[in-house]
Amino acid sequence: MMKLKPLLQAGSLALLAAISGLCVAQSATVEESRSLDAIYKAALHEGGRLIVYAGGDTAGQQDGIKSAFEARFPGVTLDVVVDYSKYHEARIDNQLATQSLVPDVVQIQTLQNFPRWKSEGRLLPYKPLGWSHVYEPFKDNEGAYTGVFVDAFSNVVNSKLMPDSKKWPREAQDYLRPEFKGKIVLTYPTDDDAVLFWMKQAVDKYGWDYVAALAKQDPIYVRGTQAPADMVESGEAWVTFSTDGALVPSKLSVSRFVLPDHDPFVAWPQQAAILKGSKHPEAAKLYLSWLLDRDTQKNIWYMWSVRTDVAPPKGYRPIWEYSNGNPLAFGRFLANRAEVERFRAQVGLYLPEVKGDPSPGFPGLHPERALPH
């Protein structure tokens, strides 16, 4: 009998551990099981509004997403405030510090913020519909944040001004050719981390002499990455590497998105999360589940899907199969802030200081709607 009590205690501890483990398993976030229509009804009951802070370059850059979402879910208003991701991250941190949080969803390019916000308890864990089909490294395994689409910066050319595709720039050194002097439009690399990372990969391969030579090409410098796309399309510039482009161009467009054969390009999963304390959590869940829906991923987004079961357009491979476009490399670069800032400062020795107002305008401290546009 003297030995029975310790055994019972050990058995009780094992039972408690088992119960505790069961409770943890039961409380863990599971993938959304409701249909889009069921979540939609909950969002309507909640009030029918959603506020998203989205990284971008012009006030109306997310108008297509807004229109598609509101057409699919009448009665739910989607307000998307677009600003540079670096300003949105500061805006959210300030709102959290002053207890004045506005957005329900944050969807930005500065990926290093999501693990930090998760560790601070700022994010509402949620695994949207389709979460299990998202490429594993693009999402947090506890559902704190999820990649919602793949973006990529590489070569964009005006096919009307350059009808011979054999002469299109593909590799970084192609931009040093004499015929491109004064015809390259370039987002200030020190103003945008994705363009900065394009430059980092070029310097890693070709050295700082490459940046010096590029500066002598007299690029047209702009703020934001929408302007290069617009200027190449209009013919104000011939080429750029500081924007994205449709994998399948529209019939009316003269711009063509061109991947390099050898040099690195920049790709990453744009991540989104629901902020804890959101005023419209059901609408936020509806938005993330809709973004990950196969139809949205296939027919509304114009680059690669984050889903493993959505094939890219003909002529392209899944993004994770490109050895020169590793979609995780940009996130690793962003995570080392000291390295980022050291490199940014060095680029500033070669290229001009940033000039001009930010292309999205000035949304202010607590924006709730897109600026007039």
Side-chain angles (χ1 to χ4, degrees):
M1 292 296 293
M2 293 296 291
K3 296 182 180 179
L4 183 57
K5 189 174 180 180
L7 288 174
L8 285 173
Q9 288 177 336
S12 298
L13 290 173
L15 178 60
L16 286 172
I19 292 173
S20 176
L22 179 61
C23 290
V24 170
Q26 289 178 338
S27 64
T29 305
V30 297
E31 185 171 342
E32 177 66 79
S33 60
R34 295 175 295 173
S35 67
L36 282 176
D37 287 339
I39 312 171
Y40 170 38
K41 290 179 182 179
L44 286 172
H45 182 74
E46 180 184 67
R49 193 186 179 196
L50 173 66
I51 301 174
V52 175
Y53 279 8
D57 308 281
T58 61
Q61 199 171 44
Q62 292 288 320
D63 283 358
I65 291 292
K66 173 179 170 66
S67 296
F69 180 84
E70 292 180 346
R72 174 66 177 81
F73 306 109
V76 181
T77 299
L78 171 59
D79 286 311
V80 188
V81 180
V82 176
D83 201 356
Y84 297 157
S85 293
K86 61 183 180 180
Y87 295 156
H88 269 327
E89 69 178 64
R91 184 173 287 116
I92 289 171
D93 282 336
N94 183 258
Q95 290 179 7
L96 291 170
T98 56
Q99 299 181 348
S100 56
L101 184 65
V102 172
D104 304 293
V105 172
V106 55
Q107 176 185 307
I108 56 178
Q109 165 188 290
T110 48
L111 308 179
Q112 76 277 5
N113 288 288
F114 290 93
R116 174 175 64 85
W117 282 328
K118 176 188 175 182
S119 69
E120 293 171 352
R122 304 297 193 180
L123 305 179
L124 179 70
Y126 179 64
K127 296 179 180 179
L129 274 172
W131 187 88
S132 58
H133 293 286
V134 174
Y135 183 51
E136 202 68 33
F138 290 173
K139 60 191 178 185
D140 175 64
N141 60 9
E142 295 177 333
Y145 48 88
T146 305
V148 291
F149 56 78
V150 173
D151 209 352
F153 285 3
S154 191
N155 312 294
V156 177
V157 304
N158 184 304
S159 63
K160 185 177 180 180
L161 295 175
M162 299 188 68
D164 185 355
S165 62
K166 294 180 181 179
K167 296 182 179 180
W168 291 352
R170 292 181 179 274
E171 314 302 340
Q173 289 189 316
D174 289 340
Y175 287 91
L176 305 183
R177 288 169 11 205
E179 65 264 32
F180 290 133
K181 187 168 186 176
K183 297 173 182 176
I184 304 165
V185 57
L186 176 60
T187 301
Y188 289 103
T190 53
D191 200 32
D192 184 280
D193 282 349
V195 182
L196 187 70
F197 185 55
W198 189 99
M199 199 68 68
K200 177 68 166 61
Q201 294 183 115
V203 169
D204 286 347
K205 185 169 183 178
Y206 296 111
W208 283 104
D209 286 347
Y210 176 81
V211 186
L214 181 66
K216 293 178 181 178
Q217 289 290 76
D218 298 329
I220 305 165
Y221 294 98
V222 295
R223 295 201 70 181
T225 60
Q226 182 63 46
D230 293 342
M231 292 175 69
V232 169
E233 178 67 24
S234 69
E236 294 176 76
W238 286 28
V239 294
T240 186
F241 54 78
S242 60
T243 192
D244 64 11
L247 299 188
V248 180
S250 74
K251 294 180 181 179
L252 299 177
S253 175
V254 298
S255 296
R256 296 294 182 268
F257 181 75
V258 186
L259 290 177
D261 292 322
H262 307 289
D263 282 353
F265 64 96
V266 182
W268 73 95
Q270 191 87 332
Q271 289 175 341
I274 302 173
L275 288 155
K276 191 173 288 186
S278 157
K279 298 180 180 68
H280 314 103
E282 293 298 331
K285 292 173 182 178
L286 177 65
Y287 176 73
L288 293 187
S289 289
W290 174 77
L291 281 179
L292 289 187
D293 184 69
R294 289 188 83 253
D295 180 69
T296 306
Q297 291 280 307
K298 185 176 181 180
N299 299 316
I300 294 178
W301 182 241
Y302 55 89
M303 300 201 86
W304 285 270
S305 171
V306 294
R307 292 180 59 128
T308 58
D309 60 346
V310 176
K314 184 179 180 180
Y316 292 92
R317 306 192 301 274
I319 189 62
W320 45 85
E321 292 185 8
Y322 288 90
S323 60
N324 61 336
N326 183 345
L328 305 180
F330 180 46
R332 288 196 290 266
F333 172 70
L334 291 176
N336 189 335
R337 300 313 297 169
E339 179 187 4
V340 170
E341 297 310 322
R342 281 195 299 270
F343 185 73
R344 192 193 314 277
Q346 291 180 76
V347 171
L349 299 173
Y350 291 80
L351 304 181
E353 291 288 329
V354 176
K355 295 179 181 179
D357 291 340
S359 53
F362 297 91
L365 278 174
H366 300 93
E368 294 189 8
R369 293 175 178 82
L371 291 175
H373 56 278

